[in-house]
Amino acid sequence: MDKIVILTGAGISAESGMGTFRDKDGLWTKVQLEDVATPEGFARNPQMVQDFYNLRRVGARAAKPNAAHTALARLQAHHTGDVIIVTQNVDSLHEAGGARDVIHMHGRLDGALCSGCGHRWAAPDEMTVDEACPGCGEPFGRPDVVWFGEMPYRMDEIYEHLGTTDLFVSIGTSGEVYPAASFVQEARVQGIRTLELNLEPSSGSAMFDESRLGPATEIVPAWVAEVLGEA
Ligand code: APR
């Protein structure tokens, strides 16, 4: 009845055509994260930030889940123990691949948030700078994504899962951004087994008991088959 907690990053969606952030042609080589992924950037130029997320939202809606997303959904459906998926990704490809109860610690592109009253609603394809909040009516609508300097979502729940799991698996993340990058240490200090599945060694590779390298669409289904006793 092994419980498994899985953290995913942009690498799991790379083969669905979604860009990653820090690879050679990653998103942060094209736009300054300070301009589009901070509250200060949004205050400075809300139009540019809404446009940036409108573009990413449309791209994410057109993307299809890949074999890695569907393999994790299969694991959730057939593994005897709980399988908790925590993602840093703001796309909904885990859900599109059949996964459930995914914890989006950095929010979601298909969500909108009112910076005035905190109301949340389903984001339209295109959000405007004076996007009215359906809750309070004020023009304070923003993408419901977590920007640098803001608190990621559902951290208590995540640490609760990290404290009660038998295995922690990190998939497709560079391990450059905290607090997600610290989850492996969190697991290690509690004597929990750790596994990394990534295209290349991440910043935290040395901290994992095991690190398997390769494209997610190959190494994730192979690992899931192993866990389900099919390999
Ligand atoms: N299969 C597996 N891993 C891959 C693949 C692939 N096909 N392609 C790339 N990767 C790996 C890269 O080797 C890299 O380690 O995915 C990782 C992507 O790292 P980042 O681009 O830094 O993305 P991520 O770790 O998710 O970034 C974390 O930073 O900018 C913020 O909020 C943003 O959630 C994001 C956070």
Side-chain angles (χ1 to χ4, degrees):
M1 282 299 277
D2 280 3
K3 175 170 176 175
I4 304 174
V5 169
I6 299 167
L7 169 72
T8 65
I12 200 168
S13 296
E15 290 161 272
S16 295
M18 300 295 295
T20 59
F21 296 95
R22 294 173 185 79
D23 286 328
K24 57 190 175 317
D25 54 355
L27 218 42
W28 297 148
T29 65
K30 301 189 178 91
V31 283
Q32 293 296 319
L33 71 86
E34 293 73 16
D35 293 339
V36 293
T38 61
E40 297 76 14
F42 185 60
R44 223 178 10 253
N45 189 337
Q47 185 63 58
M48 176 161 94
V49 175
Q50 292 286 20
D51 290 348
F52 174 70
Y53 286 96
N54 289 341
L55 214 58
R56 288 185 68 198
R57 189 174 300 110
V58 170
R61 284 198 174 144
K64 297 277 172 284
N66 62 51
H69 296 110
T70 51
L72 294 189
R74 225 162 60 75
L75 185 66
Q76 270 189 327
H78 302 294
H79 182 53
T80 47
D82 282 344
V83 177
I84 308 293
I85 299 173
V86 178
T87 188
Q88 300 172 89
N89 300 338
V90 291
D91 63 51
S92 301
L93 292 174
H94 279 301
E95 291 84 355
R100 43 177 175 63
D101 308 325
V102 178
I103 299 177
H104 283 264
M105 64 181 288
H106 288 167
R108 301 176 67 152
L109 280 171
D110 52 17
L113 168 68
C114 177
S115 40
C117 74
H119 180 71
R120 285 186 161 83
W121 67 99
D125 255 353
E126 306 262 324
M127 288 186 79
T128 60
V129 275
D130 51 3
E131 190 74 28
C133 166
C136 68
E138 295 298 323
F140 298 148
R142 56 166 276 188
D144 188 11
V145 298
V146 177
W147 286 327
F148 286 93
E150 295 183 325
M151 230 357 238
Y153 296 154
R154 302 173 63 182
M155 290 308 295
D156 293 346
E157 222 177 308
I158 294 169
Y159 284 120
E160 177 62 35
H161 283 307
L162 282 173
T164 57
T165 190
D166 301 289
L167 174 65
F168 170 68
V169 188
S170 174
I171 303 175
T173 179
S174 61
E176 297 278 336
V177 174
Y178 288 79
S182 66
F183 292 172
V184 60
Q185 288 126 305
E186 194 62 39
R188 284 179 67 83
V189 294
Q190 299 178 76
I192 291 163
R193 271 184 305 131
T194 55
L195 166 66
E196 179 179 59
L197 305 177
N198 211 52
L199 185 64
E200 57 208 14
S202 73
S203 319
S205 284
M207 279 182 282
F208 287 87
D209 296 322
E210 187 189 353
S211 191
R212 297 185 190 179
L213 301 181
T217 53
E218 286 171 25
I219 62 176
V220 176
W223 169 69
V224 166
E226 225 175 84
V227 175
L228 295 180
E230 297 159 355

